[in-house]
Amino acid sequence: MLDALYAHRLVFVTGKGGVGKSTLTAALGMHAARSGRRTLVCETDTFSAMEPLLAVGRPVGHQPVVAAQNLWACNIQSEQSLADLVHRFVPSARLAKAAVSNRLARLFFRTAPSMYELSVLYRIKSLMDERDGDGPRYDTIIIDLPATGHAITFLSVPETANKVLRVGSVAEMSAELAAQLRDPNITDLVIVCIPEEMPVNESIELHKAAHDKLGLLAETIFINMVRPAPVPEDGRAALEFLADKFEDEPGPGGIGVLAEGGELGLDWSRQDREYIGKLHRGIQGANFIEVPYIYRNESDVDLIRRIADHLNAP
Amino acid sequence: MNFTDLLKEGRLVVCCGSGGVGKTTTAAALALRGAMAGRKTVVITIDPAKRLANSLGLETLGDTPQRIDLGALDAELAAQAGDGEVWAMMLDVKKAFDDLIRRLGPDSGAVDRILNNRLYHLMSTALHGVLEYVAVEKLFELYTGGYYDLIVLDTPPTKNALDFLEAPQRVARFFDRGVVKWFLPSEKKGIFGRIFQPGLVVIGLISRILGEKFTTDLTEFFDSVSTIIDPLQQRGEMVEFILRDPQTAFIIVTGADPRRIEEAIYFHDKLGTLDQKATAFVVNRVCTGYDEEHAETVANMTPEEFAQLVQAMAPVADEEGVRRLVDQLGDYYGRLIKLADRDHRGIKVLSDRVGKRILRLVPLLREDVHDIHQLLKIGDYLVADPAPA
C-alpha cells in the first residue's frame, strides 16, 4: 500500500504541531527501510526527535548517520546549509564560512525572507543527488517538515526565489529545484492529522492547496491517535444501559466505575469517528491510514516498531 | 503575581506553548474569568478555530475586536461579570502588517510606494518573525489604546520558545539603519565612510550569490521603507518594555505526556534567560482518577455480585454477554490506567521542577470544548487551588 509512496525520491511529511508528525516520519522511515529501500530521514534545525525514536545511539546532526540497516537520519542545520550554498559561489569553504558568519551578513541572512528555507531545500537536493557506486546513495528521503509555517509556502520557496531573483545562478538553481518539487514522480506529500477540529480543517485545506499550487496529489493521509471504542458496535447498547443503571454508584463489585470509564471511551470514539468522517468527505480518493492511539508504557523505539508493524497490515 | 491577582490586576497575559495543547481554549477561558472579575478583557488569537468562535456565540472571529454578548450566552454569567466585558479578535497577519505600514507611513504616497514594492509582498509574509511581530504590534495598539484592562494573547505556536519574545527585536534589527544604509546611497558619509564601507563588501557578496537584479530591487525596497524605519524600531523597543513589565504574566500551556512536559520545561528555562518567569503552567487534558486497585476489585468480583449484575442487565444481555462486557470494560479501564499513570509521571516531573503551587490541571473532558459552559468549566479549573500532583 505504501510502495507507491516510497517510489518517490522525496517524501515530505507535514501536519499541524502535536499530531505526531515526527513519530510517523520515524515509523515511515523504519517501514521503508525494512522493505529494502535505502532510506534517509531528515529533520531540520530541531531538537532531534529521531535520536530517541529510532534509537540511533548518537547525536543526529547535519551529516547523515546510520540508524539501522538501510536507514539513515540527519538533522539539517540551516546555517551549515547556507554556508554550503554560499560555497558554490565563492571559491573556498573557509571564505564561505567566514562570509556567512560575518555579523552583518549573518543578520541579513537570518532575517531575509526564505533564505534559510532555500538553503535547507538546497541541502535536501544535494542529498538526493549523492551517489554511491552506480546508484543514488538514498532511494527515498523522508523529510519531517517544520510544524510552524505552511508546508506549501515552504515548498514554494524555490519558485518564489526564482521570481524574486529573476536572473543569476541561485535563480537558475531555484528553478531546477522548483521543477523537481512540482514533479509528482519525484515528490510526494504525506499529511498527518488527528481526529480534531483544527487539524482536520487544515488537512483538507492543505490537500487542496498542494494540488492547486504545487500540482501534488498528497494521496497518503495518516489519521493518528484514533481512540478505539471500548466495546464493539453490538455491545454499545448494553454498555450504555449499564452506565445508566449504575450512574454515580459503585454497582455490583464496583462495575459502575468501569462502566463510566467505558462510556467516556464511547464518547471519545464517537467524536473521533465524526471528525474522520469529515476528513473523508473533505478529501476524495486519498489513501487514509488510521493509527490507533497507543496507551503506552514503553520506550520510544518500541512504539515506532509497533507503528511500523501496523503499517504492514493491509 | 499569583493567578487570582493576575485576573484582577494584570494587564497582559501571554499564553505560550507548542501547537495542539489547547492554548487558544485556555486563553478564551482566561478572558471569561477576567470579565467575571469585572474587567474589560480582550482575547487575541491567531487560531481560526470555528468551534471557539461558536462557543463564544460568534459565527467567526473578525480581525478587529468584537464584543461577546455575555447575556445571550448565560444570564448568570452576565450578572456576575457586571461591568466586565469580553472582546475577541483573530489576527490576520498580512492585513495587520499592511495596516501597520499605513499607520506609520508619513503620507499616502510613501505608503503606496511600500505596499506596491515587489519585495514587500514577499517580506510581509515570509520575513522571519513577521507573524510574531504583528502579534505584538497589535498588542501594543490595544495596550496603549486605553480601553481594555486586561489583554489575553494566544501566541503563535513556536518550536523555539525564544522566537516569540525575540520577534520585535529581530524585525526591528532587520530594518536597523546599520543594515539599511548599505543599500541607501543617499546617506551622508564622511571621507572615511566613503572609502571604507563594510556594507559594500556585503552587498558585493549578496550580489554575487543572489544576482545584481536582486540587490537593485532590495535597494529600492529599503529606500521605500526608509521612512518608517524609526517608528518601527521605537515600537519594537516599547513592545519589549511591555513584555518585561511586572504587570505582564506568562502562562505556559502544555499537555501531560512526557514529551510535552519536556517542551514546557524547555520553555520555562528560556523564559528564565530573559529574566521572565511563568506565572502558571496549565496542564490540559489530564487523565486522572483511574487506578489499579479499583480494577482489581472488579476483577475479583464475587459470584454473588456477578449474579446480581446479570440480573440487573437482564433486559439487554444474557449471562455470556455480561461476562464479555465486564472483560471488555476491564481491558479498557486498563488503558485508562496507563494513560493516567503516564500523565501522573509527566506532572510529577514538572512539579519537581517548578513546584506544585503554580500548576493548574485541567482534566480530560468527554468532548471538544464547543460551548460557553465548557469554557467556564475550564476557567473553574484554572482558578482552583493547585491540585495535588
Side-chain angles (χ1 to χ4, degrees), chain B residues 25 45 59 68 77 121 142 157 166 182 186 225-226 253 257 270-271 301 317 346 359 363 367:
Chain B
T25 308
T45 175
E59 191 48 40
I68 308 299
L77 169 66
H121 175 72
L142 297 171
E166 286 182 340
W182 312 335
S186 58
V225 299
S226 64
V253 186
D257 65 291
K270 287 291 177 191
L271 271 178
M301 196 185 280
L359 299 192
E367 43 188 11

PDB file of all heavy atoms in Angstrom, chain B residues 25 45 59 68 77 121 142 157 166 182 186 225-226 253 257 270-271 301 317 346 359 363 367:
ATOM      1  N   THR B  25      -8.017  27.665  23.661  1.00  0.00           N
ATOM      2  CA  THR B  25      -9.123  27.424  24.589  1.00  0.00           C
ATOM      3  C   THR B  25      -8.784  27.991  25.962  1.00  0.00           C
ATOM      4  O   THR B  25      -9.617  28.637  26.603  1.00  0.00           O
ATOM      5  CB  THR B  25      -9.388  25.904  24.694  1.00  0.00           C
ATOM      6  OG1 THR B  25      -9.537  25.397  23.367  1.00  0.00           O
ATOM      7  CG2 THR B  25     -10.619  25.616  25.487  1.00  0.00           C
ATOM      8  N   THR B  45      -6.389  35.962  19.267  1.00  0.00           N
ATOM      9  CA  THR B  45      -5.940  34.629  18.875  1.00  0.00           C
ATOM     10  C   THR B  45      -5.459  34.642  17.435  1.00  0.00           C
ATOM     11  O   THR B  45      -5.765  35.548  16.670  1.00  0.00           O
ATOM     12  CB  THR B  45      -7.067  33.582  19.062  1.00  0.00           C
ATOM     13  OG1 THR B  45      -6.609  32.332  18.562  1.00  0.00           O
ATOM     14  CG2 THR B  45      -8.314  33.973  18.312  1.00  0.00           C
ATOM     15  N   GLU B  59     -20.235  33.619  14.935  1.00  0.00           N
ATOM     16  CA  GLU B  59     -20.125  32.742  13.779  1.00  0.00           C
ATOM     17  C   GLU B  59     -18.644  32.566  13.415  1.00  0.00           C
ATOM     18  O   GLU B  59     -18.149  31.457  13.267  1.00  0.00           O
ATOM     19  CB  GLU B  59     -20.927  33.354  12.613  1.00  0.00           C
ATOM     20  CG  GLU B  59     -21.136  32.444  11.419  1.00  0.00           C
ATOM     21  CD  GLU B  59     -21.632  31.034  11.785  1.00  0.00           C
ATOM     22  OE1 GLU B  59     -22.494  30.914  12.694  1.00  0.00           O
ATOM     23  OE2 GLU B  59     -21.149  30.084  11.167  1.00  0.00           O
ATOM     24  N   ILE B  68     -18.347  40.204  22.996  1.00  0.00           N
ATOM     25  CA  ILE B  68     -19.114  38.983  23.205  1.00  0.00           C
ATOM     26  C   ILE B  68     -20.335  39.345  24.046  1.00  0.00           C
ATOM     27  O   ILE B  68     -20.207  39.974  25.091  1.00  0.00           O
ATOM     28  CB  ILE B  68     -18.278  37.925  23.967  1.00  0.00           C
ATOM     29  CG1 ILE B  68     -16.912  37.702  23.299  1.00  0.00           C
ATOM     30  CG2 ILE B  68     -19.053  36.623  24.110  1.00  0.00           C
ATOM     31  CD1 ILE B  68     -16.951  37.195  21.902  1.00  0.00           C
ATOM     32  N   LEU B  77     -23.867  34.386  34.099  1.00  0.00           N
ATOM     33  CA  LEU B  77     -22.517  34.853  33.802  1.00  0.00           C
ATOM     34  C   LEU B  77     -22.508  36.377  33.612  1.00  0.00           C
ATOM     35  O   LEU B  77     -21.659  37.080  34.149  1.00  0.00           O
ATOM     36  CB  LEU B  77     -22.004  34.154  32.531  1.00  0.00           C
ATOM     37  CG  LEU B  77     -20.726  34.689  31.892  1.00  0.00           C
ATOM     38  CD1 LEU B  77     -19.540  34.475  32.814  1.00  0.00           C
ATOM     39  CD2 LEU B  77     -20.480  34.008  30.556  1.00  0.00           C
ATOM     40  N   HIS B 121       5.662  42.380  -0.716  1.00  0.00           N
ATOM     41  CA  HIS B 121       4.679  41.301  -0.589  1.00  0.00           C
ATOM     42  C   HIS B 121       5.331  40.059   0.015  1.00  0.00           C
ATOM     43  O   HIS B 121       4.822  39.452   0.948  1.00  0.00           O
ATOM     44  CB  HIS B 121       4.068  40.979  -1.954  1.00  0.00           C
ATOM     45  CG  HIS B 121       3.152  39.797  -1.892  1.00  0.00           C
ATOM     46  ND1 HIS B 121       1.920  39.862  -1.290  1.00  0.00           N
ATOM     47  CD2 HIS B 121       3.322  38.533  -2.288  1.00  0.00           C
ATOM     48  CE1 HIS B 121       1.364  38.667  -1.346  1.00  0.00           C
ATOM     49  NE2 HIS B 121       2.192  37.837  -1.941  1.00  0.00           N
ATOM     50  N   LEU B 142      -3.540  47.727  21.302  1.00  0.00           N
ATOM     51  CA  LEU B 142      -4.605  47.532  22.278  1.00  0.00           C
ATOM     52  C   LEU B 142      -4.154  47.967  23.675  1.00  0.00           C
ATOM     53  O   LEU B 142      -4.922  48.507  24.455  1.00  0.00           O
ATOM     54  CB  LEU B 142      -5.042  46.069  22.302  1.00  0.00           C
ATOM     55  CG  LEU B 142      -5.656  45.538  21.006  1.00  0.00           C
ATOM     56  CD1 LEU B 142      -5.850  44.032  21.081  1.00  0.00           C
ATOM     57  CD2 LEU B 142      -7.000  46.214  20.724  1.00  0.00           C
ATOM     58  N   PRO B 157       2.020  29.171  17.623  1.00  0.00           N
ATOM     59  CA  PRO B 157       2.816  28.049  18.125  1.00  0.00           C
ATOM     60  C   PRO B 157       4.236  28.125  17.592  1.00  0.00           C
ATOM     61  O   PRO B 157       4.445  28.332  16.406  1.00  0.00           O
ATOM     62  CB  PRO B 157       2.107  26.819  17.562  1.00  0.00           C
ATOM     63  CG  PRO B 157       1.260  27.300  16.446  1.00  0.00           C
ATOM     64  CD  PRO B 157       1.015  28.752  16.661  1.00  0.00           C
ATOM     65  N   GLU B 166      11.591  37.212  20.980  1.00  0.00           N
ATOM     66  CA  GLU B 166      12.656  37.942  20.303  1.00  0.00           C
ATOM     67  C   GLU B 166      12.198  38.608  19.020  1.00  0.00           C
ATOM     68  O   GLU B 166      12.939  39.370  18.413  1.00  0.00           O
ATOM     69  CB  GLU B 166      13.814  36.987  20.005  1.00  0.00           C
ATOM     70  CG  GLU B 166      14.601  36.642  21.242  1.00  0.00           C
ATOM     71  CD  GLU B 166      15.768  35.729  20.932  1.00  0.00           C
ATOM     72  OE1 GLU B 166      15.737  35.077  19.866  1.00  0.00           O
ATOM     73  OE2 GLU B 166      16.686  35.670  21.746  1.00  0.00           O
ATOM     74  N   TRP B 182      23.590  50.213   3.975  1.00  0.00           N
ATOM     75  CA  TRP B 182      24.392  49.649   2.881  1.00  0.00           C
ATOM     76  C   TRP B 182      23.692  49.903   1.557  1.00  0.00           C
ATOM     77  O   TRP B 182      24.293  50.011   0.515  1.00  0.00           O
ATOM     78  CB  TRP B 182      24.534  48.130   2.957  1.00  0.00           C
ATOM     79  CG  TRP B 182      24.922  47.544   4.251  1.00  0.00           C
ATOM     80  CD1 TRP B 182      25.608  48.158   5.256  1.00  0.00           C
ATOM     81  CD2 TRP B 182      24.661  46.213   4.665  1.00  0.00           C
ATOM     82  NE1 TRP B 182      25.790  47.267   6.268  1.00  0.00           N
ATOM     83  CE2 TRP B 182      25.218  46.083   5.936  1.00  0.00           C
ATOM     84  CE3 TRP B 182      24.014  45.127   4.096  1.00  0.00           C
ATOM     85  CZ2 TRP B 182      25.145  44.896   6.649  1.00  0.00           C
ATOM     86  CZ3 TRP B 182      23.947  43.953   4.791  1.00  0.00           C
ATOM     87  CH2 TRP B 182      24.503  43.842   6.062  1.00  0.00           C
ATOM     88  N   SER B 186      22.067  57.468  -0.639  1.00  0.00           N
ATOM     89  CA  SER B 186      21.877  58.871  -0.310  1.00  0.00           C
ATOM     90  C   SER B 186      22.399  59.251   1.080  1.00  0.00           C
ATOM     91  O   SER B 186      22.543  60.409   1.394  1.00  0.00           O
ATOM     92  CB  SER B 186      20.402  59.221  -0.408  1.00  0.00           C
ATOM     93  OG  SER B 186      19.687  58.391   0.455  1.00  0.00           O
ATOM     94  N   VAL B 225      11.036  51.859   2.219  1.00  0.00           N
ATOM     95  CA  VAL B 225      10.616  51.682   3.616  1.00  0.00           C
ATOM     96  C   VAL B 225      11.388  52.582   4.589  1.00  0.00           C
ATOM     97  O   VAL B 225      11.048  52.629   5.765  1.00  0.00           O
ATOM     98  CB  VAL B 225      10.730  50.221   4.127  1.00  0.00           C
ATOM     99  CG1 VAL B 225       9.856  49.294   3.326  1.00  0.00           C
ATOM    100  CG2 VAL B 225      12.165  49.745   4.135  1.00  0.00           C
ATOM    101  N   SER B 226      12.391  53.294   4.065  1.00  0.00           N
ATOM    102  CA  SER B 226      13.237  54.046   4.993  1.00  0.00           C
ATOM    103  C   SER B 226      12.450  55.042   5.837  1.00  0.00           C
ATOM    104  O   SER B 226      12.822  55.333   6.965  1.00  0.00           O
ATOM    105  CB  SER B 226      14.358  54.760   4.225  1.00  0.00           C
ATOM    106  OG  SER B 226      13.788  55.706   3.352  1.00  0.00           O
ATOM    107  N   VAL B 253       1.213  26.771  28.530  1.00  0.00           N
ATOM    108  CA  VAL B 253       0.163  25.773  28.365  1.00  0.00           C
ATOM    109  C   VAL B 253       0.817  24.508  27.815  1.00  0.00           C
ATOM    110  O   VAL B 253       1.644  24.573  26.910  1.00  0.00           O
ATOM    111  CB  VAL B 253      -0.930  26.276  27.400  1.00  0.00           C
ATOM    112  CG1 VAL B 253      -2.089  25.285  27.339  1.00  0.00           C
ATOM    113  CG2 VAL B 253      -1.440  27.647  27.825  1.00  0.00           C
ATOM    114  N   ASP B 257       1.682  14.577  28.717  1.00  0.00           N
ATOM    115  CA  ASP B 257       2.580  13.475  28.367  1.00  0.00           C
ATOM    116  C   ASP B 257       4.034  13.936  28.404  1.00  0.00           C
ATOM    117  O   ASP B 257       4.328  15.114  28.228  1.00  0.00           O
ATOM    118  CB  ASP B 257       2.207  12.835  27.021  1.00  0.00           C
ATOM    119  CG  ASP B 257       2.386  13.773  25.877  1.00  0.00           C
ATOM    120  OD1 ASP B 257       1.608  14.748  25.808  1.00  0.00           O
ATOM    121  OD2 ASP B 257       3.291  13.563  25.066  1.00  0.00           O
ATOM    122  N   LYS B 270      13.867  28.936  29.000  1.00  0.00           N
ATOM    123  CA  LYS B 270      14.101  30.043  28.080  1.00  0.00           C
ATOM    124  C   LYS B 270      13.576  31.348  28.654  1.00  0.00           C
ATOM    125  O   LYS B 270      14.204  32.394  28.547  1.00  0.00           O
ATOM    126  CB  LYS B 270      13.421  29.773  26.733  1.00  0.00           C
ATOM    127  CG  LYS B 270      14.113  28.729  25.914  1.00  0.00           C
ATOM    128  CD  LYS B 270      15.448  29.252  25.422  1.00  0.00           C
ATOM    129  CE  LYS B 270      16.178  28.170  24.655  1.00  0.00           C
ATOM    130  NZ  LYS B 270      17.561  28.509  24.369  1.00  0.00           N
ATOM    131  N   LEU B 271      12.399  31.268  29.273  1.00  0.00           N
ATOM    132  CA  LEU B 271      11.843  32.471  29.908  1.00  0.00           C
ATOM    133  C   LEU B 271      12.807  32.987  30.951  1.00  0.00           C
ATOM    134  O   LEU B 271      13.012  34.185  31.085  1.00  0.00           O
ATOM    135  CB  LEU B 271      10.501  32.149  30.572  1.00  0.00           C
ATOM    136  CG  LEU B 271       9.240  32.284  29.739  1.00  0.00           C
ATOM    137  CD1 LEU B 271       8.036  31.878  30.570  1.00  0.00           C
ATOM    138  CD2 LEU B 271       9.058  33.704  29.233  1.00  0.00           C
ATOM    139  N   MET B 301     -14.543  -9.798  41.494  1.00  0.00           N
ATOM    140  CA  MET B 301     -15.966  -9.766  41.809  1.00  0.00           C
ATOM    141  C   MET B 301     -16.425 -11.148  42.302  1.00  0.00           C
ATOM    142  O   MET B 301     -16.040 -12.173  41.722  1.00  0.00           O
ATOM    143  CB  MET B 301     -16.698  -9.426  40.505  1.00  0.00           C
ATOM    144  CG  MET B 301     -18.116  -8.982  40.653  1.00  0.00           C
ATOM    145  SD  MET B 301     -18.865  -8.758  39.020  1.00  0.00           S
ATOM    146  CE  MET B 301     -18.254  -7.183  38.528  1.00  0.00           C
ATOM    147  N   ALA B 317     -28.926  -8.043  28.085  1.00  0.00           N
ATOM    148  CA  ALA B 317     -27.879  -9.019  27.790  1.00  0.00           C
ATOM    149  C   ALA B 317     -28.068 -10.310  28.580  1.00  0.00           C
ATOM    150  O   ALA B 317     -28.639 -10.297  29.674  1.00  0.00           O
ATOM    151  CB  ALA B 317     -26.511  -8.422  28.126  1.00  0.00           C
ATOM    152  N   GLY B 346       4.313  12.485  34.172  1.00  0.00           N
ATOM    153  CA  GLY B 346       4.664  13.737  33.498  1.00  0.00           C
ATOM    154  C   GLY B 346       4.511  14.930  34.434  1.00  0.00           C
ATOM    155  O   GLY B 346       5.388  15.788  34.537  1.00  0.00           O
ATOM    156  N   LEU B 359       1.078  24.973  39.306  1.00  0.00           N
ATOM    157  CA  LEU B 359       0.455  24.088  38.318  1.00  0.00           C
ATOM    158  C   LEU B 359      -1.062  24.187  38.375  1.00  0.00           C
ATOM    159  O   LEU B 359      -1.637  24.281  39.450  1.00  0.00           O
ATOM    160  CB  LEU B 359       0.836  22.626  38.572  1.00  0.00           C
ATOM    161  CG  LEU B 359       2.296  22.230  38.515  1.00  0.00           C
ATOM    162  CD1 LEU B 359       2.412  20.711  38.487  1.00  0.00           C
ATOM    163  CD2 LEU B 359       2.967  22.824  37.293  1.00  0.00           C
ATOM    164  N   PRO B 363      -8.728  18.556  33.694  1.00  0.00           N
ATOM    165  CA  PRO B 363      -8.920  17.147  33.331  1.00  0.00           C
ATOM    166  C   PRO B 363      -9.407  16.981  31.892  1.00  0.00           C
ATOM    167  O   PRO B 363      -9.963  17.890  31.288  1.00  0.00           O
ATOM    168  CB  PRO B 363      -9.968  16.661  34.327  1.00  0.00           C
ATOM    169  CG  PRO B 363     -10.675  17.878  34.782  1.00  0.00           C
ATOM    170  CD  PRO B 363      -9.702  19.006  34.699  1.00  0.00           C
ATOM    171  N   GLU B 367     -15.782  15.616  25.667  1.00  0.00           N
ATOM    172  CA  GLU B 367     -15.823  16.044  24.274  1.00  0.00           C
ATOM    173  C   GLU B 367     -15.109  17.372  24.094  1.00  0.00           C
ATOM    174  O   GLU B 367     -14.729  18.018  25.063  1.00  0.00           O
ATOM    175  CB  GLU B 367     -17.270  16.135  23.782  1.00  0.00           C
ATOM    176  CG  GLU B 367     -18.168  16.783  24.794  1.00  0.00           C
ATOM    177  CD  GLU B 367     -19.644  16.702  24.411  1.00  0.00           C
ATOM    178  OE1 GLU B 367     -20.001  15.961  23.473  1.00  0.00           O
ATOM    179  OE2 GLU B 367     -20.426  17.398  25.069  1.00  0.00           O
TER     180      GLU B 367
END
